[in-house]
Amino acid sequence: MPAQRTHPDACPGAVDVHQAADGGLARVRVPGGTLSAAQVDVLRAAATELGDGVLELTSRANLQIRGLAPGAEHELGARLRDAGLLPSMTHERIRNIVAAPLEDNQALVDAIDAALCGVPELASLPGRFLVTVGGAVSGLSGDIGLVGDALFLAGHDSGLRVADPVAAVVTAARVFGEVRGEAWRLSEVDGGVRKITAALGVPGPVKLEPAVTPVAPGAHGSVVVAGVPLGRWDARLLAGVPVRLTPWRSVVLPAGSDTSGLFTSPDSPWHGVSACTGRPGCAKSLADVRADAARWVDTRTAPGRVHWSGCARRCGRPAGDVVEFVATGDAYEEIR
């Protein structure tokens, strides 16, 4: 049955910002995660001149700028529009398209993004609506996904094989919009997958399993993958460098790029460590989790994924096997 919502969808956008404890929070959608060198520099300048000097990487390969003064979102929106990062003022919150970062798929991502932005009624889709492109990200709980010609729905292979993937995504998004009620995700809609497959054709046997294949830091042919500690990218770094964001809070850079302030080894103590915003950015947090995580990293002895949370809501917790440190007010509870 659809989830019962007690509050509206409040996902921030680039101009419809969220008022956090440390100022305005803008989320810039970057479909497919690809940014030109010029776009990187626009974002770096915006974070420095309008925000707190940091670009935050999200688990959907998007960016956030924090610490915006009241009204600064108007200047930010103008800069993003001029840089080609805000192609639709009406649809900007739904442009969540995560792509396998080492695959040649950006042209398909761009076509899907343009098609979604071209349908007026899809502007009302919730900000959590997610499209995935590529097998490496098919397990990220997307509402609609593509792996080759296979159409995934609610994170699983629907059995449908599509000749026109862009048209299939748009049709699936339209049907979801028509049947979702108050639900934010396709998985919450009773019979939602069945209604989409009825609109697209007869599904065949399901063959593909959803997968999440994180890209490890290090060299990968002509590119290098660099991890960003706690997903906080100092806006002074990577000037004039094209990047591709990953959903694992790392960046894909041309080989030979200056990676100062980042890490490029899977043996780095920062590898696999994540945290929520914590204090002072979140008023609900009971601790400055990022500072505490940074101190802990210096003493880390075991590999694996570790997530730090400032309260029992445990925001940003990765899926799967992860050790958690949850602030209780005067200490941390360790959850395994």
Side-chain angles (χ1 to χ4, degrees):
M1 297 295 293
Q4 297 299 310
R5 301 298 184 191
T6 58
H7 55 87
D9 176 15
C11 281
V15 290
D16 184 15
V17 303
H18 167 69
Q19 291 303 317
D22 57 347
L25 165 64
R27 183 174 299 159
V28 183
R29 268 71 175 183
V30 187
T34 298
L35 293 166
S36 69
Q39 289 174 327
V40 168
D41 285 345
V42 167
L43 289 163
R44 291 175 53 252
T48 301
E49 297 166 9
L50 304 176
D52 65 358
V54 172
L55 292 164
E56 289 188 335
L57 278 64
T58 78
S59 61
R60 291 185 167 191
N62 294 320
L63 290 172
Q64 294 184 162
I65 297 176
R66 305 187 68 94
L68 295 168
E73 66 271 16
H74 302 301
E75 172 65 19
L76 176 62
R79 295 188 187 196
L80 296 176
R81 184 177 61 250
D82 291 345
L85 292 168
L86 194 62
S88 171
M89 290 291 288
T90 54
H91 292 63
E92 63 106 355
R93 290 200 316 135
I94 71 157
R95 299 173 62 242
N96 294 303
I97 307 177
V98 175
L102 296 184
E103 294 181 13
D104 182 12
N105 51 31
Q106 190 60 46
L108 175 58
V109 169
D110 292 342
I112 294 170
D113 184 37
L116 292 174
C117 289
V119 180
E121 59 265 34
L122 296 185
S124 63
L125 290 179
R128 289 166 174 78
F129 176 79
L130 175 65
V131 177
T132 64
V133 177
V137 296
S138 59
L140 291 180
S141 300
D143 298 287
I144 303 169
L146 293 168
V147 181
D149 65 349
L151 183 70
F152 275 55
L153 296 172
H156 297 280
D157 187 354
S158 69
L160 289 170
R161 300 299 179 260
V162 296
D164 187 338
V166 176
V169 169
V170 171
T171 297
R174 282 180 183 270
V175 175
F176 171 60
E178 293 167 359
V179 304
R180 75 180 186 89
E182 296 182 354
W184 290 341
R185 307 302 306 276
L186 176 58
S187 60
E188 301 170 351
V189 181
D190 186 27
V193 169
R194 184 178 64 253
K195 291 171 183 176
I196 291 175
T197 57
L200 286 169
V202 179
V206 176
K207 298 179 180 178
L208 301 179
E209 291 295 325
V212 179
T213 311
V215 179
H220 295 262
S222 62
V223 299
V224 60
V225 176
V228 181
L230 297 181
R232 288 176 60 79
W233 168 3
D234 186 328
R236 295 171 295 183
L237 305 177
L238 300 179
V241 178
V243 309
R244 191 170 200 188
L245 311 172
T246 85
W248 303 289
R249 294 181 172 88
S250 58
V251 291
V252 182
L253 309 170
S257 298
D258 183 358
T259 56
S260 300
L262 310 175
F263 62 90
T264 57
S265 170
D267 296 326
S268 167
W270 281 112
H271 184 45
V273 180
S274 59
C276 72
T277 298
R279 290 179 177 171
C282 177
K284 296 183 183 297
S285 180
L286 302 175
D288 185 346
V289 292
R290 287 169 168 165
D292 292 338
R295 285 188 288 268
W296 172 85
V297 159
D298 290 337
T299 66
R300 186 179 187 184
T301 58
R305 295 192 300 166
V306 179
H307 184 70
W308 291 71
S309 298
C311 72
R313 295 187 305 162
R314 298 154 72 187
C315 294
R317 181 198 185 279
D321 186 17
V322 58
V323 175
E324 295 181 78
F325 292 105
V326 181
T328 61
D330 55 0
Y332 284 89
E333 178 185 5
E334 183 175 346
I335 302 174
R336 292 182 177 269

